[in-house]
Amino acid sequence: MAQHPFLENLLNGQTVEWKPLGEVAVIGTGSSNRQDESENGDYPFYVRSKNVLRSNSYQFDETAIVIPGEGGIGDIFHYVEGKYALHQRAYRICIHDENVNTKFLYHVMSQSFKQYILSKSVGATATSIRKPMLEKFLIPIPPLSAQIEIVRMLDVINDLLDELKSELNLRQKQYQYYRDKLLTFDAEAVQSLATASDSRTVVWKTLGEVSEVTKLAGFEFTNYVQYSEQGTIIALRGLNVKGRLDLNDVKYIDNSDFSKLNRSKLFIDDVLFTYVGTVGNVALIPENDKYYLAPNVARIRFLDKNQVHPRFVLYYFQTTFFQSKQIGKYLSSSSMKNLTMENIRKFKIPIPPLSEQARIVAILDKFDKLTQSITEGLPREIELRQKQYEYYREALLSF
């Protein structure tokens, strides 16, 4: 691999040694299980996910790298300092060679371990790791001074990335709080949020009174086609409905029979509502003549937009109250959770004056852009910083 100029300057002609990980580290698993979790425990408890649990007891007191033995292989790495508990199917890697910096190894493994482990597996994914696989993983060992400088440079970007993620988490919680507060129409909320004497006057109606609620009937897209095979029309399925439209994985349908397609055509401000499986996810259609309805998603089309602001209802559908009380009231569960169209029409929604709906929408739109937008706001900034970290990691570790 050709070295990046950054790295050449840093090494300044010094050699890089390569060794198997097993020669420089102690590698082993923990002995805890999920039942050892304690919500308010004193010690971090590392399992087989990115989430760090808590435990009342610890097994190790050291500086180490923790990775799962199953699930998330090559994607999940924890850098650990101090006392911690460890799941029996997670590995700890504790360096015993004074010429290897543990944080340097953390960055090396983040960059190249996944590719290594996939080369040892059958198929496109690795389902589990065995200790010999870890022990044979070759790692570069430049001079310790170079390792420390590489760690410093990468940690600067990583620390900023962590700050942005913490800020996003805080803003998401704040967003949820204000969304629920603004859309809770009880006496206390009315008094604290009113901006005019009649601004919080609310009429409650069922969804069936103010909208058409339909699902795909008589024609199902059982055979999706490739975009190049007369398939230029996007059929929106449940996995495309996630608070907003998620178009990372779309399916196309044959556009040869428009008489059938017209029954499922979607228009601007139609609200999509998932009613099978993951029930209660919503999204708003942003434009005409582009999207069509697929099975397992309901279409809600409001009869009078001078009475109901579709985006106001979209936000109301996402409140904690609506998700727990109204959906929970009608949800039926056999082998899979589902709602009938009849029960969706029974949902009660608050209808304050249109000006008040618009005011609430304007406030929540700002929060939504800050916390959810992939072109603006914190998610976009996090994506850019992640790419920056990966670029410099590749440049500084191209031994």
Side-chain angles (χ1 to χ4, degrees), residues 65-351:
I65 298 168
V66 170
I67 64 173
E70 298 170 346
I73 295 170
D75 294 318
I76 300 173
F77 299 93
H78 298 288
Y79 176 78
V80 181
E81 290 181 326
K83 298 174 180 177
Y84 67 97
L86 186 64
H87 192 273
Q88 62 179 351
R89 284 301 296 129
Y91 285 98
R92 55 182 274 270
I93 302 167
C94 183
I95 299 296
H96 59 64
D97 188 324
E98 62 183 11
N99 293 313
V100 180
N101 180 283
T102 303
K103 196 64 174 292
F104 171 78
L105 177 61
Y106 170 84
H107 289 300
V108 168
M109 294 191 72
S110 297
Q111 180 221 23
S112 58
F113 182 73
K114 185 172 184 176
Q115 182 179 0
Y116 162 79
I117 205 66
L118 287 176
S119 70
K120 304 297 180 183
S121 304
V122 177
T125 60
T127 58
S128 65
I129 300 176
R130 296 293 177 259
K131 186 176 177 180
M133 296 178 179
L134 282 167
E135 291 174 332
K136 294 176 182 177
F137 176 58
L138 288 177
I139 63 169
I141 307 177
L144 195 57
S145 59
Q147 295 180 46
I148 292 172
E149 181 60 16
I150 289 171
V151 167
R152 186 194 68 79
M153 295 173 71
L154 292 178
D155 278 358
V156 167
I157 304 173
N158 237 357
D159 289 346
L160 177 58
L161 191 57
D162 288 341
E163 288 178 12
L164 287 170
K165 289 177 179 178
S166 296
E167 176 72 8
L168 177 59
N169 184 56
L170 177 64
R171 295 305 177 193
Q172 286 173 333
K173 290 180 179 178
Q174 186 182 38
Y175 172 37
Q176 182 176 336
Y177 170 81
Y178 280 108
R179 184 188 62 205
D180 287 358
K181 190 73 171 175
L182 284 165
L183 295 167
T184 300
F185 293 87
D186 57 23
E188 180 183 354
V190 169
Q191 186 176 2
S192 64
L193 293 171
T195 57
S197 59
D198 63 347
S199 66
R200 299 290 288 188
T201 302
V202 176
V203 175
W204 288 83
K205 292 189 176 182
T206 65
L207 197 58
E209 291 180 278
V210 297
S211 70
E212 295 176 347
V213 180
T214 60
K215 64 178 179 178
L216 197 62
F219 175 54
E220 293 190 357
F221 305 129
T222 54
N223 294 312
Y224 295 109
V225 296
Q226 298 297 319
Y227 183 85
S228 59
E229 299 173 357
Q230 295 298 311
T232 58
I233 296 173
I234 297 174
L236 295 175
R237 300 164 294 153
L239 59 79
N240 301 124
V241 181
K242 298 178 180 178
R244 63 180 68 243
L245 290 185
D246 183 341
L247 303 178
N248 288 319
D249 181 11
V250 298
K251 295 293 185 181
Y252 298 93
I253 52 178
D254 185 354
N255 58 10
S256 61
D257 191 340
F258 283 98
S259 64
K260 293 179 179 179
L261 290 174
N262 283 337
R263 296 201 292 272
S264 65
K265 191 173 185 178
L266 295 167
F267 295 96
I268 190 168
D269 287 340
D270 283 346
V271 172
L272 303 184
F273 188 101
T274 58
Y275 64 88
V276 174
T278 306
V279 173
N281 283 345
V282 292
L284 192 71
I285 297 299
E287 57 187 303
N288 290 323
D289 301 323
K290 188 171 183 178
Y291 304 109
Y292 289 74
L293 195 64
N296 300 334
V297 181
R299 185 206 70 197
I300 300 169
R301 181 171 295 164
F302 292 97
L303 303 174
D304 184 357
K305 293 180 185 177
N306 291 319
Q307 180 186 21
V308 179
H309 195 310
R311 201 160 180 81
F312 171 82
V313 179
L314 181 86
Y315 284 129
Y316 179 70
F317 282 162
Q318 297 176 73
T319 61
T320 304
F321 171 82
F322 178 83
Q323 291 282 325
S324 61
K325 300 296 183 181
Q326 295 224 45
I327 291 181
K329 180 179 179 181
Y330 295 109
L331 196 62
S332 63
S333 179
S334 51
S335 59
M336 182 179 291
K337 293 181 179 179
N338 64 89
L339 286 170
T340 65
M341 295 303 103
E342 180 182 0
N343 284 334
I344 293 175
R345 295 184 188 105
K346 293 177 182 177
F347 289 153
K348 291 184 178 180
I349 62 171
I351 306 178

Side-chain angles (χ1 to χ4, degrees), residues 358-369:
R359 183 184 77 87
I360 291 172
V361 166
I363 294 171
L364 295 179
D365 276 352
K366 292 178 181 178
F367 272 108
D368 183 71
K369 183 178 291 185

Side-chain angles (χ1 to χ4, degrees), residues 380-396:
R380 176 59 173 168
E381 183 68 16
I382 289 172
E383 180 186 25
L384 291 174
R385 293 303 177 189
Q386 181 66 39
K387 289 180 178 178
Q388 183 185 37
Y389 167 72
E390 291 171 358
Y391 169 80
Y392 282 104
R393 185 182 65 189
E394 186 70 24
L396 292 168

